[in-house]
Amino acid sequence: GCFHAIHPSGAGLGYAAALVVVFCVSYYNILLAWALHYVVASFSSDLPWAQDPEAYFANVVQQTVPSLDSPGSGDIPGHLLVLLVAVWVLVFFCLAGGIHSVGKVALVTVISPVVLIVILFWRVIWLPGAGEGVLYYVTPRFEELLKIETWSIALGQILFSLSPGMGTAIALASYNPQSTNIFKINLFVSLANSAFSLFGGFVVFSVVGNLAQEQGLTVEDVAKSGPKLAFVVFAKAVTLLPGSQVWAVMFFLMLLSLGLDSSFAWVESIISVMSDLLRKRGIQPRHLPQTYFVCITCCFFGLLFITRGGNYWLDIVDHYCATYCLLLLVCLEVLFVWRYYGLEQVATDLKDMTGVTLPWVFLWAWRVTPFITGGLWLSIVIRDLITAYESYPWYAQLLGWLSWLIPIGVAVGWFVHWHWLKRKTPAQEIR
């Protein structure tokens, strides 16, 4: 409702953000289902992936097929269905008590990963080869800064982790008193998010360096990105540690806790949009039925991503929706606020509510943000129009494009429709 409050033509931006969250949380919780599988499997006397973590992840956990066109790519492995439902049941019960229950659960899901990663850091930093991995991590490669891909991935990651364009921060902030110093809170959250990521990098590359030495390869050859980093590289790493079952439980519980924290925030933001819609229609929203509806719906959408070809669908939607849509949505949101409310007015409101005078660098950053995000969005659109992403078949590419065109179409369509209805005819202009 905040964009509608600024100007009615902006309501579509809120609905678009909610759609993006629905798409993202539907596939994001698949990663939590995988993490839950590893937590359970870690209680075995011998870690079942010890011999070949990559084969275990592909053939046992995902049960993936060679390509989307392979026979059986639409089959759903029974164990993944059970795990996905279990994750959504956990999300439902944690959110059933409303926003106050989220805060209590967050004390565990936010603090425990920090404690666990510090423990992991202290253990892995002493592994043979860890120094080479850390050196690779901290050595700058300035040529990478000249690549558009580097900046689009980096910006996409920040937008995904902090969720500024997805309405999550807005929805959760709406529960705060007006006098809350949101400037300090947002500054702390932003810095803490990046600090945690940077610190986590030392853990990751200590492990990668150790694996590189064990396998006689370079750090660059071992380093992986995406789900394979956690479910292959780290899965292998814990098998090399004394008391590997304990370390495996700790690591995958940390992944599960981090993921649940994001999932809680996203689901709560969807519920917030639903509540606004119901109030506009004179219906008093009820949190429990809404939570149930959102969890059931997103769990149903997630079925696509647990099929035997689900990892390909996950890659496609993550590429198009999480990158394309967030880059353009942030661009449109900033331009909208700039045009209909004024960036200086935002700074004035902040000072009135908190007493904080916004540093000039923030106003400058707001002004350049739409051009940076819009430029990066345009560059990757052109790239993918020239060369289809990962050479996936046409129907997969179609789903990918629809996953970002639908939310953006809602935002732009609402804006155009509102102004079209409110346009004045020549006769009205004369009157």
Side-chain angles (χ1 to χ4, degrees):
C2 69
F3 293 109
H4 181 272
I6 292 173
H7 194 274
S9 63
L13 289 170
Y15 302 142
L19 283 173
V20 173
V21 174
V22 169
F23 294 154
C24 288
V25 78
S26 296
Y27 75 76
Y28 183 81
N29 277 13
I30 308 306
L31 278 68
L32 307 191
W34 296 341
L36 183 58
H37 172 98
Y38 278 86
V39 170
V40 175
S42 298
F43 287 96
S44 305
S45 56
D46 296 309
L47 294 179
W49 61 83
Q51 296 301 317
D52 191 341
E54 190 157 11
Y56 181 84
F57 181 52
N59 301 329
V60 178
V61 180
Q62 295 179 312
Q63 296 187 13
T64 189
V65 291
S67 71
L68 281 173
D69 294 325
S70 300
S73 66
D75 296 344
I76 296 178
H79 74 287
L80 282 181
L81 178 61
V82 172
L83 290 167
L84 180 63
V85 171
V87 167
W88 277 110
V89 168
L90 182 60
V91 171
F92 171 75
F93 280 108
C94 289
L95 295 179
I99 191 65
H100 299 293
S101 67
V102 178
K104 294 175 183 177
V105 174
L107 289 175
V108 177
T109 58
V110 172
I111 296 174
S112 59
V114 176
V115 175
L116 289 172
I117 202 168
V118 169
I119 295 172
L120 284 171
F121 170 78
W122 188 251
R123 179 63 187 88
V124 302
I125 198 68
W126 307 109
L127 291 172
E132 286 74 13
V134 170
L135 182 63
Y136 179 85
Y137 174 53
V138 300
T139 301
R141 285 170 288 280
F142 295 107
E143 68 277 5
E144 296 295 323
L145 298 179
L146 302 178
K147 299 178 181 178
I148 292 293
E149 183 72 14
T150 301
W151 291 101
S152 62
I153 292 174
L155 186 53
Q157 170 60 28
I158 288 294
L159 295 178
F160 194 83
S161 60
L162 289 175
S163 305
M166 302 166 78
T168 307
I170 296 173
L172 297 180
S174 67
Y175 295 101
N176 288 323
Q178 185 173 337
S179 58
T180 301
N181 194 328
I182 57 174
F183 177 78
K184 288 185 178 179
I185 292 174
N186 280 281
L187 186 61
F188 173 78
V189 170
S190 300
L191 293 176
N193 175 74
S194 296
F196 188 82
S197 298
L198 290 171
F199 182 73
F202 285 95
V203 177
V204 169
F205 280 91
S206 294
V207 172
V208 169
N210 174 254
L211 290 177
Q213 181 169 307
E214 291 281 337
Q215 298 172 11
L217 301 171
T218 65
V219 174
E220 189 171 4
D221 290 334
V222 177
K224 297 178 183 290
S225 60
K228 284 190 175 182
L229 177 63
F231 299 106
V232 175
V233 174
F234 263 96
K236 176 63 176 176
V238 295
T239 65
L240 305 176
L241 301 174
S244 55
Q245 286 88 347
V246 175
W247 292 106
V249 170
M250 288 175 59
F251 175 71
F252 290 109
L253 272 179
M254 181 187 71
L255 283 186
L256 188 61
S257 296
L258 286 170
L260 284 172
D261 194 48
S262 297
S263 185
F264 295 157
W266 285 343
V267 171
E268 195 63 40
S269 67
I270 300 170
I271 294 171
S272 178
V273 173
M274 290 177 60
S275 297
D276 288 343
L277 285 172
L278 291 173
R279 290 190 188 98
K280 287 178 182 177
R281 286 158 177 76
I283 303 172
Q284 183 61 33
R286 297 171 59 195
H287 191 274
L288 191 61
Q290 288 176 266
T291 305
Y292 180 78
F293 174 78
V294 172
C295 290
I296 287 290
T297 302
C298 292
C299 183
F300 176 76
F301 289 158
L303 294 179
L304 173 66
F305 306 106
I306 61 170
T307 60
R308 296 184 65 196
N311 59 314
Y312 304 116
W313 292 114
L314 189 152
D315 181 46
I316 292 164
V317 177
D318 181 64
H319 173 74
Y320 284 103
C321 185
T323 302
Y324 275 48
C325 213
L326 283 181
L327 285 174
L328 186 54
L329 198 55
V330 167
C331 173
L332 296 176
E333 288 175 0
V334 176
L335 288 174
F336 177 80
V337 173
W338 191 350
R339 166 65 179 82
Y340 288 99
Y341 195 74
L343 302 181
E344 289 77 9
Q345 186 60 48
V346 175
T348 300
D349 292 344
L350 180 68
K351 185 174 182 179
D352 291 341
M353 290 187 293
T354 66
V356 175
T357 301
L358 197 66
W360 66 269
V361 68
F362 286 89
L363 286 171
W364 177 84
W366 285 346
R367 288 185 172 91
V368 300
T369 292
F371 301 102
I372 294 174
T373 56
L376 288 173
W377 169 79
L378 184 61
S379 68
I380 59 176
V381 167
I382 293 173
R383 180 199 63 195
D384 284 349
L385 284 173
I386 295 173
T387 305
Y389 176 65
E390 296 294 338
S391 300
Y392 285 120
W394 68 268
Y395 54 87
Q397 300 289 346
L398 177 62
L399 177 67
W401 282 84
L402 287 176
S403 69
W404 75 270
L405 284 173
I406 291 174
I408 296 300
V410 168
V412 175
W414 185 285
F415 181 86
V416 172
H417 179 66
W418 191 92
H419 283 281
W420 178 263
L421 291 178
K422 297 297 180 180
R423 76 192 191 285
K424 293 183 178 180
T425 64
Q428 290 173 323
E429 291 284 359
I430 293 174
R431 288 197 296 268

